[in-house]
């Protein structure tokens, strides 16, 4: 019985070491796979920078450079200052003010008003006098 107990303790400690090493090996394999993905990503990025069209697009986007003969435009924000490359305009669907009528609605309203002018109301009196008491 004692020999069996010693063997069980021996195998248990060996099994624990085996499981720890297996977990460590799985973690190392995951780390290697992640490093390989990073290397592949950086290699693709390096190939992209060798393309003159990509370099030109990056210069236009990051620095606002233009080719000779082109006209550049600057987007102005609500505060009157130019927007930087990382900023964006607000979503037009989320405006806070009331919607103004469309231009054709305003134009049609003027056509209808021309055909049906509003009735003239008498001008208000310039002086207001109190009524005189009735004579009896």
């Amino acid at each position: 019985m004692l020999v069996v107990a010693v063997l069980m303790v021996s195998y248990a400690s060996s099994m624990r070491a085996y499981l720890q090493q297996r977990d460590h090996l799985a973690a190392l394999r995951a780390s290697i796979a992640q490093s390989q993905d990073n290397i592949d990503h950086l290699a693709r990025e390096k190939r992209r920078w060798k393309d003159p069209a990509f370099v030109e697009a990056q210069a236009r986007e990051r620095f606002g450079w233009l080719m000779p003969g082109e006209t550049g435009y600057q987007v102005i924000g609500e505060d009157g200052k130019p927007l930087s490359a990382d900023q964006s305009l607000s979503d037009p669907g989320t405006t806070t003010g009331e919607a103004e009528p469309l231009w054709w609605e305003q134009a049609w309203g003027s056509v209808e008003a021309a055909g049906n002018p509003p009735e003239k109301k008498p001008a208000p009196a310039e002086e207001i006098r109190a009524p005189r008491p009735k004579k009896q």
Side-chain angles (χ1 to χ4, degrees):
M1 231 14 195
L2 184 61
V3 172
V4 171
V6 170
L7 286 175
M8 290 284 282
V9 170
S10 168
Y11 286 137
S13 65
S14 297
M15 182 61 110
R16 184 175 54 95
Y18 169 73
L19 293 175
Q20 285 177 344
Q21 288 176 356
R22 189 179 69 177
D23 291 342
H24 184 66
L25 186 60
L28 289 175
R29 285 184 179 151
S31 174
I32 290 171
Q34 184 180 9
S35 296
Q36 188 62 41
D37 287 344
N38 287 342
I39 290 170
D40 293 342
H41 173 72
L42 292 172
R44 281 193 308 269
E45 189 73 21
K46 185 178 177 183
R47 283 193 306 270
R48 290 176 75 189
W49 279 102
K50 289 182 180 178
D51 182 16
F54 179 76
V55 172
E56 181 182 331
Q58 291 299 311
R60 288 175 181 270
E61 181 181 331
R62 293 182 183 191
F63 306 121
W65 290 2
L66 301 172
M67 296 298 284
E70 292 180 343
T71 303
Y73 296 95
Q74 187 76 35
V75 178
I76 305 297
E78 293 175 351
D79 58 355
K81 296 180 181 176
L83 294 178
S84 65
D86 60 339
Q87 293 177 325
S88 63
L89 295 174
S90 61
D91 184 15
T94 60
T95 57
T96 57
E98 292 184 20
E100 295 183 16
L102 303 172
W103 69 268
W104 59 81
E105 291 174 346
Q106 290 178 343
W108 185 252
S110 68
V111 170
E112 288 179 343
N116 301 318
E119 295 180 16
K120 291 187 177 182
K121 296 181 180 178
E126 291 182 15
E127 290 184 24
I128 300 176
R129 296 184 182 163
R132 295 184 179 174
K134 292 184 183 180
K135 295 181 183 178
Q136 294 184 354

